[in-house]
Amino acid sequence: MWNLPNALTLCRLLLIPIYGVVFASGYVKSAFFVLLAAGLTDVLDGYLARKHNQVTAMGSMLDPLADKLMMLTVILSLVFSSMISWAAAAAIFLRDAGMIVGSAIFHFRGKKTVPANALGKLTTVLYYVAILLIVFQLPFADAYLWFVIAVSFLASVIYILQFKLLNKGSAGHQR
């Protein structure tokens, strides 16, 4: 179903290659502003979808896909330009891959999934701040990035605990 929130999500998908071209052309700070525009479309599409009751299956699928693809592109650009370490990139990918695979397994087993929690949303904002610090080459950017990585793993642990609580009563019925 086509609506404004879904159109904004598609715009965010289109911003991914634009970010890549701008970054690869050496305009790293300008690329950050492309990322920021993508982040703002993410906030706006979610707000509009909920406010106007326009949440769709397509939007529910494309929105997290756009988010993950953008962050994957950003992290790859930062690691290949030596702005972040391979270890930091690996930690970020490990956490995200675990969340994606885990969610897919739970979904296909018919388990209830937990929507993004406040700590998960805060983690996203903290990643944007970390990327800002890295792009503008502030001296504590690397330490801050590792702090955000730790917070993201904590958010994942909390998500797993919420998932277990949500599905505790239905565990015997799933067999």
Side-chain angles (χ1 to χ4, degrees):
M1 174 181 208
W2 291 101
N3 57 33
L4 182 57
N6 288 346
L8 288 169
T9 299
L10 290 174
C11 286
R12 191 161 69 257
L13 283 166
L14 293 174
L15 286 172
I16 296 168
I18 293 171
Y19 167 88
V21 168
V22 172
F23 190 96
S25 298
Y27 297 101
V28 175
K29 291 175 182 161
S30 296
F32 173 76
F33 290 106
V34 173
L35 170 65
L36 194 58
L40 292 174
T41 65
D42 186 23
V43 171
L44 187 58
D45 76 40
Y47 169 77
L48 291 173
R50 286 184 294 278
K51 181 179 181 191
H52 298 290
N53 197 26
Q54 294 182 330
V55 176
T56 65
M58 183 173 76
S60 296
M61 179 190 68
L62 288 180
D63 184 71
L65 176 66
D67 295 343
K68 294 297 180 198
L69 288 175
M70 178 57 94
M71 288 310 287
L72 173 66
T73 303
V74 170
I75 297 306
L76 287 173
S77 69
L78 295 175
V79 77
F80 284 123
S81 65
S82 300
M83 295 179 81
I84 66 171
S85 70
W86 281 95
I92 294 165
F93 290 135
L94 176 69
R95 184 260 183 179
D96 281 354
M99 292 298 290
I100 291 167
V101 170
S103 293
I105 290 169
F106 298 146
H107 172 77
F108 289 116
R109 288 187 175 176
K111 302 283 186 176
K112 297 175 190 170
T113 56
V114 178
N117 59 32
L119 186 56
K121 290 180 182 190
L122 174 64
T123 300
T124 301
V125 172
L126 296 177
Y127 268 119
Y128 274 83
V129 172
I131 294 165
L132 172 97
L133 298 176
I134 291 162
V135 165
F136 287 90
Q137 300 175 343
L138 295 171
F140 53 89
D142 190 56
Y144 181 80
L145 176 61
W146 281 104
F147 164 75
V148 175
I149 291 168
V151 170
S152 73
F153 274 90
L154 175 63
S156 296
V157 168
I158 291 170
Y159 177 86
I160 290 166
L161 293 174
Q162 287 177 328
F163 171 81
K164 284 186 172 195
L165 284 173
L166 183 64
N167 286 283
K168 188 177 184 180
S170 61
H173 302 287
Q174 296 293 327
R175 294 180 185 194

